[in-house]
């Protein structure tokens, strides 16, 4: 009995072990896809192995990144490492006069040699990587001098490319947008030409450790032919280089991207110069309006003055608050002076008209009073009248049309010496002389003559000003 019991236990153990082994074998075949299937009239076949699951050599191990200290520059302790630079301008996004800056998008490429990245290759082909490898090796620390904002594009991934050649030469390229300061001179605005500069320099390495240079001279800078700006015409792109000195750190190589922009004038002709000229010409219309139409001439003058003020304010609102006079300021303020003088011209006309009417009214009143006195005009015998001593000789001579007669005193009463008797008569010669004097006075104070002269003086002076202005600034 003991032997029989042991025999049964051994049989059960072997049976359970065989069942577990069959299940494990079936799972392995399902996982590897090697379960044998038999088709009609065909033999069993195995699926080829997946080559992607084979163990490959890592790129870092191929470039031997872990075998070197890339915190140090290549050839540390030796001469300065040359780093060539070239730039391709993708777009010139904006030019801001208020902030005095510009925004540019460009491809910045660096070229240098790092023997630590050399590798063996039978085909002598380069290897290209993205920005993840850049964080593990040494790259030049180039930055933009006088930049306000800059960033590397990261859609959909960081726009960084690293290309390594078997002999250790490296190409490092990135797409960056930078906003940099541009010192502008607006003394000739809007007939100005601006020159802006984008400066590149190493931040940490002096010229003893790193030598920046343009890889192909002026050909290192290329621009897209489709680049255009709304207000400027791009005249020239060129490159320069020089050394920059800092008192605390030393000398650095600095590269310059210079470009010259000439402003389009047509926009300002439509928005500034033509409206200002039309307002000045509109102010001249008042010279042809009757001087007695006070509301018409005053409202026209005030309207043109306010319109010129609005134009000046609108132009200055889009400009920085510079402390010197711009070309557009000269034109607008001279135009404003012409408009203002047209208003003062009517003020002078109106004043002289009022003075003349007051004087003529006095003369009429005096003539009426003198005609009311008795006279001996047309009588055969001489009649006299008594004149008070308050009448002047001019008042007496102002009465014309009487016959000439000698002055006779009659019935002189001794106790009344304050009265005298005269004949009311004037000669034809004295009358003609008086009329000529009055006519000359009226010509000097004729308001129509002032308007007539203004019709010629104002346009002539404004035309001369325009000729001088455009000949100087164009």
């Amino acid at each position: 009995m003991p032997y029989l019991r042991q025999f049964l236990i051994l049989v059960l153990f072997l049976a359970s072990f065989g069942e577990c082994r069959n299940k494990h074998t079936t799972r392995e075949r399902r996982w590897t896809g090697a379960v044998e299937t038999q088709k009609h009239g065909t033999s069993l076949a195995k699926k080829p192995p997946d080559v992607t699951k084979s163990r490959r050599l890592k790129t870092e191990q191929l470039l031997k990144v872990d075998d070197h200290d890339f915190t140090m520059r290549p050839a540390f302790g030796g001469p300065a490492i040359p780093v060539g630079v070239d730039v391709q301008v993708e777009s010139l996004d904006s030019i801001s006069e208020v902030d005095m800056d510009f925004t540019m998008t460009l491809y910045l490429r660096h070229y240098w040699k790092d023997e630590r990245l050399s590798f063996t290759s039978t085909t002598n082909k380069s290897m290209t990587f993205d920005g993840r490898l850049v964080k593990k090796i040494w790259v030049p620390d180039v930055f933009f001098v006088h930049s306000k904002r800059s960033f590397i594009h990261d859609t959909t991934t960081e726009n960084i490319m690293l290309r390594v050649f078997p002999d250790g030469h490296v190409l490092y390229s990135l797409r960056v947008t930078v906003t940099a300061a541009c010192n502008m001179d607006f003394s000739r605005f809007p007939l100005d030409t601006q020159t802006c500069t984008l400066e590149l320099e190493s931040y940490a390495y002096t010229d003893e450790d790193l030598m920046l240079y343009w890889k192909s001279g002026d050909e290192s800078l290329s621009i897209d032919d489709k680049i255009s700006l709304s207000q400027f015409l791009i005249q020239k792109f060129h490159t320069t280089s020089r050394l920059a000195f800092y008192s605390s750190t030393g000398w650095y190589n600095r590269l310059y991207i210079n470009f010259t922009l000439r402003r389009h004038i047509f926009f300002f002709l439509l928005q500034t110069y033509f409206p200002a000229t039309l307002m000045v010409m509109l102010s001249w219309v008042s010279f042809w309006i009757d001087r007695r139409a006070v509301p018409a001439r005053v409202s026209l003058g005030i309207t043109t003055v306010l319109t010129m003020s609005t134009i000046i304010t609108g132009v200055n609102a889009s400009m920085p608050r510079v402390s010197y006079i711009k070309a557009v300021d000269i034109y607008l303020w001279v135009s404003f002076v012409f408009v203002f003088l047209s208003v003062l011209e009517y003020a002078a006309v109106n004043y002289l008209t009022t003075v003349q009417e007051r004087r003529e009214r006095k003369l009429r009143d005096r003539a009426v009073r003198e005609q009311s006195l008795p006279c001996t005009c047309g009588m055969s015998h001489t009649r006299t009248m008594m004149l008070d001593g308050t009448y002047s000789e001019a008042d007496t001579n102002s009465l014309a049309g009487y016959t000439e007669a000698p002055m006779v005193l009659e019935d002189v009463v001794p106790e009344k010496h304050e009265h005298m008797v005269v004949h009311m008569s004037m000669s034809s010669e004295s009358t003609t002389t008086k009329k000529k004097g009055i006519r000359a006075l009226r010509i000097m104070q004729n308001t129509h003559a002032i308007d007539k002269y203004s019709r010629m003086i104002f346009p002539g002076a404004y035309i001369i000003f325009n000729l001088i202005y455009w000949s100087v600034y164009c």
Side-chain angles (χ1 to χ4, degrees):
M1 286 298 292
Y3 296 101
L4 180 60
R5 185 180 299 171
Q6 292 178 359
F7 178 76
L8 292 176
I9 292 173
L10 180 61
V11 170
L12 292 174
F13 178 77
L14 292 175
S16 61
F17 180 78
E19 184 178 358
C20 291
R21 185 175 181 181
N22 290 334
K23 290 181 178 181
H24 181 70
T25 304
T26 303
R27 290 178 180 176
E28 285 184 352
R29 290 178 179 177
R30 289 180 180 178
W31 176 256
T32 59
V35 180
E36 299 179 355
T37 58
Q38 184 177 3
K39 297 184 179 179
H40 300 285
T42 60
S43 60
L44 298 177
K46 293 183 179 180
K47 187 176 181 180
D50 190 356
V51 296
T52 60
K53 295 184 179 180
S54 62
R55 186 175 181 181
R56 302 176 62 189
L57 187 64
K58 294 183 179 180
T59 303
E60 291 82 355
Q61 294 179 354
L62 180 63
L63 294 179
K64 300 179 182 180
V65 175
D66 298 332
D67 297 341
H68 302 280
D69 183 10
F70 283 95
T71 59
M72 309 299 294
R73 69 173 180 87
F76 178 75
I81 174 175
V83 177
V85 176
D86 67 37
V87 172
Q88 180 179 350
V89 180
E90 180 183 3
S91 64
L92 193 57
D93 301 326
S94 64
I95 307 292
S96 176
E97 292 87 358
V98 177
D99 299 328
M100 286 193 180
D101 58 21
F102 65 93
T103 302
M104 179 186 295
T105 300
L106 50 88
Y107 294 95
L108 180 61
R109 304 185 183 97
H110 310 77
Y111 302 86
W112 74 94
K113 184 177 181 180
D114 191 347
E115 295 181 353
R116 295 173 296 183
L117 298 177
S118 60
F119 62 93
T120 58
S121 175
T122 57
T123 59
N124 198 26
K125 291 184 178 180
S126 61
M127 293 188 300
T128 304
F129 307 94
D130 56 14
R132 288 172 288 186
L133 184 61
V134 175
K135 301 177 181 179
K136 299 181 181 181
I137 65 172
W138 181 90
V139 294
D141 59 339
V142 175
F143 78 105
F144 297 100
V145 185
H146 305 307
S147 65
K148 297 181 179 180
R149 297 174 299 275
S150 61
F151 63 91
I152 299 175
H153 292 262
D154 56 359
T155 305
T156 58
T157 59
E158 284 188 330
N159 298 168
I160 297 177
M161 186 268 290
L162 187 70
R163 184 171 295 170
V164 182
F165 294 87
D167 58 353
H169 281 88
V170 182
L171 166 60
Y172 174 47
S173 176
L174 63 157
R175 180 168 173 257
V176 60
T177 295
V178 56
T179 300
C182 178
N183 295 325
M184 301 182 183
D185 183 13
F186 297 105
S187 59
R188 299 177 64 89
F189 176 87
L191 306 170
D192 56 338
T193 300
Q194 303 294 341
T195 299
C196 297
T197 303
L198 183 63
E199 305 173 10
L200 293 84
E201 182 182 307
S202 173
Y203 190 83
Y205 298 99
T206 64
D207 60 339
E208 297 179 354
D209 292 323
L210 189 146
M211 182 181 67
L212 280 179
Y213 68 97
W214 290 111
K215 186 174 182 296
S216 304
D218 289 337
E219 297 180 357
S220 301
L221 179 62
S222 59
I223 60 174
D224 193 349
D225 296 336
K226 298 180 180 179
I227 295 179
S228 62
L229 296 172
S230 59
Q231 293 189 18
F232 292 92
L233 174 64
I234 302 176
Q235 288 186 325
K236 183 180 180 182
F237 266 95
H238 65 282
T239 61
T240 55
S241 61
R242 65 185 67 175
L243 290 175
F245 177 73
Y246 297 91
S247 59
S248 57
T249 54
W251 294 89
Y252 293 81
N253 294 109
R254 181 175 295 183
L255 306 181
Y256 296 84
I257 301 175
N258 306 306
F259 56 96
T260 304
L261 305 173
R262 182 169 60 86
R263 196 183 304 274
H264 292 299
I265 188 58
F266 189 72
F267 171 81
F268 295 94
L269 288 177
L270 292 179
Q271 299 295 327
T272 304
Y273 287 97
F274 284 167
T277 304
L278 291 178
M279 287 300 104
V280 175
M281 297 174 64
L282 184 61
S283 66
W284 300 340
V285 176
S286 64
F287 303 152
W288 278 264
I289 299 177
D290 187 5
R291 69 180 186 275
R292 297 180 182 86
V294 177
R297 297 190 66 166
V298 170
S299 60
L300 181 61
I302 297 301
T303 301
T304 53
V305 168
L306 294 179
T307 304
M308 284 300 304
S309 301
T310 303
I311 295 174
I312 294 173
T313 304
V315 172
N316 292 328
S318 60
M319 295 296 299
R321 298 179 180 179
V322 295
S323 58
Y324 49 85
I325 299 177
K326 304 181 290 293
V328 68
D329 293 336
I330 296 176
Y331 192 90
L332 291 179
W333 280 105
V334 170
S335 300
F336 182 84
V337 169
F338 272 89
V339 173
F340 185 73
L341 289 179
S342 66
V343 178
L344 294 182
E345 187 269 349
Y346 177 65
V349 169
N350 189 31
Y351 173 75
L352 294 178
T353 301
T354 304
V355 171
Q356 183 181 5
E357 290 179 352
R358 185 183 303 113
R359 184 171 301 173
E360 292 177 353
R361 189 183 306 111
K362 289 182 178 179
L363 292 176
R364 287 196 301 268
D365 294 342
R366 185 177 301 170
V368 171
R369 289 196 303 268
E370 291 174 351
Q371 289 177 2
S372 63
L373 297 175
C375 64
T376 60
C377 300
M379 294 184 180
S380 57
H381 60 280
T382 304
R383 296 288 304 273
T384 60
M385 62 175 296
M386 296 295 291
L387 296 178
D388 192 7
T390 58
Y391 285 86
S392 64
E393 182 180 359
D395 296 333
T396 306
N397 294 333
S398 64
L399 299 177
Y402 298 96
T403 59
E404 183 177 359
M407 182 180 297
V408 179
L409 295 175
E410 68 177 20
D411 299 336
V412 179
V413 181
E415 60 271 12
K416 296 181 179 181
H417 296 286
E418 68 272 8
H419 293 159
M420 70 178 179
V421 180
V422 297
H423 284 282
M424 302 298 295
S425 62
M426 292 183 62
S427 64
S428 59
E429 295 180 359
S430 62
T431 303
T432 305
T433 305
K434 189 65 176 180
K435 287 183 178 180
K436 289 182 179 180
I438 295 175
R439 187 180 299 109
L441 182 61
R442 289 182 178 179
I443 291 175
M444 293 177 61
Q445 298 180 352
N446 190 356
T447 56
H448 293 286
I450 294 177
D451 284 337
K452 181 179 179 181
Y453 296 148
S454 298
R455 294 170 190 174
M456 296 182 295
I457 294 175
F458 274 75
Y462 196 69
I463 291 173
I464 294 174
F465 162 72
N466 276 271
L467 292 176
I468 297 175
Y469 179 87
W470 294 109
S471 62
V472 169
Y473 288 100
C474 286

